[in-house]
Amino acid sequence: MANVLRSPRLLRREVLAGLVVALALIPEAISFSILAGVDPKVGLFASFTMAVSIAFLGGRPAMITAATGAIALVIAPVARDHGLDYLLATVILGGILQVIFGLAGTAQLMRLLPRSVMVGFVNALAILIFLAQLPQLGLETHGGLHIVGVPWMVFPLVALGLLLLWALPKLTTAVPAPLVVIVVLTALVMLGGLSVPEVRGEGELPRSLPSLLIPDVPLTFETLKIIAPYAFAMAMVGLLESLMTAKLVDDITDTHSNKSRESWGQGAANVITGFFGGMGGCAMVGQTMINVKASGARSRVSTFLAGVFLLVLIVGFGDLVGQIPMAALVAVMIMVAIGTFDWHSVAPSTLKRMPRSETMVMLTTVVFVVATHNLAIGVSAGVILGFMLFARRVYHLVGVDRELIENADGSVYARYTVTGELFFASSNDLVYLFHYADDPERVVIDLSKSHVWDASTVAALDGIVQKYARKDKTVEIVGLNEASSHIHERLTGQLPSH
């Protein structure tokens, strides 16, 4: 960040990026407030406090955190059934849980996400960003696709915006293209007296600053029972979306972020937001892409200024901001959706080379996220399918070779060489791969080319030993590496047989 403050060129880039993001946040925050069933100022104040807080506390510079649809969907029932104070208490508790999860190191679980799930996540979010613009184009997607009336001038304005967003970066990057589009289209609408949907049509902008407050809820176990399930869901969904967005920014900028700091930083930002009357939030992929990809921002300055500009615009310049045509913001978001989608992942050449299982996981993630509008469900479905398919592949890589060996004294023993990774998926059928009746009295099982991972494998080995024992035959297990020997010695004979 020091380099940005010392360089006028870099600082200008960060300032303009923050301004563009702030303008894009206003209609989004208002929409998410309506989705959560609260006053527009609750979402707008949340976007301000989240952005400013995470600029100092977060672990991923240039990532935008504000009120989001994912969080709004999770906490909407609280506002509907119990009121705003309970919603704020839920946000605060959710933030506390995120801090605990972050300090406990749960961010490291991101390493378990397969690449195909990450690609599906990105593609699904691009689709959701695009679908969210359809109502402004006269296409309502709730309850099936149907047409609603919009002024015809919306379409040429959006088309002009898309053309400028495509052409301007080829001519100059001195000023972010999204900012130029917003200024140009707003000027055209105002000078031409065009009657098209504007930002002020999304909801009334607040006229005062947010103030510190304490939710008026009884501090009882009954209150905890009401808010805890929603707080936990909010914490998990917020962390999942934020950490995946952070990884996406890591890939785009070729830099590394501190995921643990981002986790507890998100929690702290939500706690602060709850005490200032905000609805909470998490990282926003669309606005982050505007900041990082479209505007070229790379530091915390842009994130901080996005929050500051947001508050200044809605409180100080509300009348002017309210006249921005929604067509300008729709054009920006459509271009963001196009830029976010991983087109390489669906190219015919890629699909031919990619294993079918990888493609299935990616498509499953996309379908579940888009169908449910719930990131947690979609990613969970992708991860579960990914691990199932991985276990299936590993299962087929386990082999058992049998050899009869004659000793110097003429006696014969059977030697089984087991190869591959032994865990619950691959070891369950291990018991059926031995010749109990035909083998001689001594049997050696060589595990030098395999690894014992879990209790299921130890139980399977115990079962094999017991089957031979019932036929008065002895089994010697050899070749265990140190880790396998440790888990085998600790669990063998201690597991119930079924």
Side-chain angles (χ1 to χ4, degrees):
M1 189 166 73
N3 292 335
V4 171
L5 297 177
R6 286 196 295 264
S7 169
R9 181 181 64 83
L10 296 178
L11 182 58
R12 183 183 71 244
R13 184 185 67 187
E14 299 292 318
V15 170
L16 293 177
L19 179 58
V20 172
V21 171
L23 290 168
L25 279 173
I26 294 172
E28 294 272 316
I30 294 173
S31 298
F32 297 147
S33 299
I34 296 170
L35 182 62
V38 294
D39 190 271
K41 69 178 182 181
V42 178
L44 290 165
F45 287 163
S47 295
F48 160 68
T49 53
M50 290 294 294
V52 171
S53 300
I54 208 67
F56 294 97
L57 302 172
R60 174 62 264 176
M63 189 167 76
I64 302 299
T65 294
T68 62
I71 298 299
L73 286 171
V74 170
I75 62 177
V78 182
R80 183 187 65 235
D81 299 336
H82 303 283
L84 179 61
D85 285 297
Y86 278 84
L87 180 141
L88 299 179
T90 302
V91 171
I92 293 169
L93 179 58
I96 293 171
L97 291 175
Q98 287 179 326
V99 171
I100 294 171
F101 294 152
L103 295 176
T106 54
Q108 303 305 316
L109 296 176
M110 281 295 295
R111 297 175 181 177
L112 299 177
L113 286 179
R115 179 187 176 278
S116 49
V117 172
M118 188 66 192
V119 173
F121 160 77
V122 171
N123 290 346
L125 284 173
I127 294 170
L128 288 179
I129 290 171
F130 176 77
L131 291 177
Q133 313 314 310
L134 293 184
Q136 297 294 337
L137 298 174
L139 294 173
E140 185 61 62
T141 56
H142 296 293
L145 187 66
H146 55 276
I147 299 174
V148 295
V150 295
W152 68 271
M153 275 303 300
V154 167
F155 300 100
L157 286 173
V158 172
L160 176 60
L162 291 172
L163 178 63
L164 291 173
L165 288 166
W166 173 78
L168 281 175
K170 301 179 185 299
L171 301 175
T172 179
T173 56
V175 180
L179 180 59
V180 174
V181 168
I182 291 170
V183 172
V184 169
L185 294 192
T186 301
L188 284 175
V189 169
M190 293 176 67
L191 294 175
L194 304 178
S195 178
V196 293
E198 299 173 336
V199 168
R200 59 188 169 193
E202 298 296 304
E204 185 180 356
L205 300 179
R207 301 283 183 177
S208 60
L209 298 174
S211 58
L212 185 65
L213 59 87
I214 297 176
D216 184 17
V217 297
L219 300 178
T220 63
F221 183 69
E222 288 301 316
T223 300
L224 184 63
K225 284 172 59 179
I226 292 171
I227 67 174
Y230 298 102
F232 180 80
M234 171 193 162
M236 296 306 296
V237 170
L239 283 183
L240 186 59
E241 188 156 350
S242 298
L243 292 175
M244 294 193 76
T245 304
K247 188 175 187 304
L248 180 61
V249 178
D250 290 351
D251 295 339
I252 292 172
T253 60
D254 291 324
T255 56
H256 180 69
S257 60
N258 187 331
K259 304 297 192 303
S260 293
R261 177 176 173 178
E262 184 62 39
S263 298
W264 65 255
Q266 288 283 336
N270 271 310
V271 172
I272 294 169
T273 296
F275 281 117
F276 276 93
M279 57 179 276
C282 62
M284 301 187 75
V285 176
Q287 276 64 25
T288 298
M289 291 302 100
I290 292 176
N291 198 43
V292 175
K293 264 195 165 183
S295 303
R298 291 294 183 271
S299 79
R300 300 175 186 274
V301 174
S302 59
T303 305
F304 172 75
L305 290 178
V308 172
F309 282 143
L310 173 64
L311 188 64
V312 171
L313 288 169
I314 61 177
V315 175
F317 299 92
D319 293 336
L320 180 61
V321 170
Q323 297 180 62
I324 295 174
M326 289 300 298
L329 300 175
V330 168
V332 171
M333 296 307 292
I334 289 176
M335 191 57 73
V336 166
I338 293 172
T340 301
F341 195 90
D342 187 348
W343 297 100
H344 176 72
S345 68
V346 295
S349 58
T350 303
L351 294 175
K352 286 181 182 178
R353 290 194 303 268
M354 192 67 65
R356 289 184 179 179
S357 58
E358 299 283 320
T359 303
M360 283 177 59
V361 171
M362 186 267 286
L363 291 176
T364 298
T365 305
V366 171
V367 169
F368 272 83
V369 171
V370 173
T372 64
H373 285 228
N374 189 314
L375 175 66
I377 293 176
V379 171
S380 298
V383 168
I384 292 171
L385 179 61
F387 278 121
M388 287 174 61
L389 294 174
F390 172 76
R392 184 172 179 271
R393 287 199 302 271
V394 173
Y395 162 73
H396 288 297
L397 295 177
V398 172
V400 176
D401 296 319
R402 177 177 181 261
E403 182 182 9
L404 294 176
I405 299 176
E406 185 175 352
N407 293 312
D409 59 2
S411 61
V412 177
Y413 72 93
R415 185 180 189 88
Y416 287 88
T417 302
V418 182
T419 57
E421 304 299 314
L422 298 176
F423 64 112
F424 62 89
S426 59
S427 62
N428 281 338
D429 292 336
L430 197 62
V431 68
Y432 303 115
L433 302 179
F434 292 79
H435 301 259
Y436 303 100
D438 300 332
D439 282 339
E441 293 183 357
R442 179 172 176 247
V443 177
V444 174
I445 301 176
D446 183 1
L447 299 179
S448 59
K449 296 181 179 180
S450 60
H451 186 100
V452 176
W453 285 102
D454 59 9
S456 295
T457 303
V458 176
L461 292 172
D462 284 353
I464 292 168
V465 172
Q466 291 168 11
K467 278 182 172 290
Y468 277 114
R470 285 196 286 268
K471 296 183 180 297
D472 296 323
K473 299 176 182 181
T474 60
V475 176
E476 181 183 0
I477 297 176
V478 300
L480 288 164
N481 58 38
E482 184 177 353
S484 298
S485 178
H486 177 70
I487 190 172
H488 184 264
E489 290 175 0
R490 186 155 49 94
L491 296 178
T492 185
Q494 305 298 318
L495 303 170
S497 59
H498 297 286

